[in-house]
Amino acid sequence: MQTTVMGRVVGYDERGQGLPLVFIHGYPLNRMIWEAQWENLSDIAHVIAPDLRGFGQSEMIDGKTEISTYADDVREFLRALGIDGRAVIAGLSMGGYVALSYLRRYPENVAGLILSNTKATPDSIEGRAGRDKNIALAKEKGVAAIVDAMLPKVLSPNTFASKDELVKQVREIMMSSTVPGIVGALEAMRDRPDSTGTLLEFSAPTLIIAGADDQLMPMAEQDTMKQAARNSTLVVVEKAGHLTPMEQPEEFNHAVREFLRTIQT
Ligand code: MLT
């Protein structure tokens, strides 16, 4: 589906009714990573998954993209759908950075937080330099160069060995990214602030989901978020890499179902 929000086309899917449960994808991905969530969780929530600007079916806008730009986009998009109250905000990896920015900007609109395969800390100096290298790589060699470097890191060895279709699907999702979308996301991630303080101030339920084989998000980062968010639960999913909701959808959805029971509406 597509809609136009403040003059910009936004791709999204939505299913179900009741408590809004908003899924924000990571980089360089799009809303299709949440297919197993909107297919299987719509009996208990109003599941909504937008594409961030420059990814999937969402239009890119010229100019600098910040993590807060995506958070504001999500807010405007939800308003356009008629959702002005509280929602559970879920984000994977870069989507988690966006969810934390959303929490910082719109705390009164967050009923609960799901942080999947992500972290609250900002990029290190080396990490920032890596973003600049990838910006140059994307501009020079295109999307495929980014995807080739990234694909082996996002899935667990178990997924690579046993789920050919899924590996193909992830590659296709990544390949549908655009260079401007990728560059915008790399700049936004490079310059994002530390969100640990935001979590320290948050008292509503928080679910942290980690992949036991995630090569991109160290377990120490999960513990840091767990300690910062006082009302949080950490679920570590076995045989999952960086894309837990796709690699182990049943375990992921089970954790979300249990979590939603704790949300006061
Ligand atoms: C993502 O999956 O969104 C990115 O790998 C996050 C990052 O590079 O920091």
Side-chain angles (χ1 to χ4, degrees), residues 26-29 92-95 97 119 123 131 150 189 192 216-217 242:
Y27 156 93
L29 300 160
L92 178 133
S93 199
M94 182 178 81
Y97 311 156
K119 59 185 171 191
D123 275 6
R131 303 292 188 198
M150 189 92 185
M189 290 192 288
R192 74 185 189 281
L216 299 177
M217 296 294 160
H242 189 54

Side-chain angles (χ1 to χ4, degrees), residues 97 100 118-124 131 189 192-197 199 217-218 220-222 224-225:
Y97 311 156
L100 288 163
T118 191
K119 59 185 171 191
T121 54
D123 275 6
S124 61
R131 303 292 188 198
M189 290 192 288
R192 74 185 189 281
D194 192 342
S195 291
T196 314
L199 274 182
M217 296 294 160
E221 295 282 0
Q222 314 307 309
T224 303
M225 290 194 292

Side-chain angles (χ1 to χ4, degrees), residues 195-228:
S195 291
T196 314
T198 309
L199 274 182
L200 280 169
E201 286 167 20
F202 188 52
S203 59
T206 302
L207 173 62
I208 300 161
I209 303 183
D213 302 329
D214 192 335
Q215 299 172 61
L216 299 177
M217 296 294 160
M219 205 50 72
E221 295 282 0
Q222 314 307 309
D223 293 333
T224 303
M225 290 194 292
K226 169 89 189 74
Q227 275 161 27

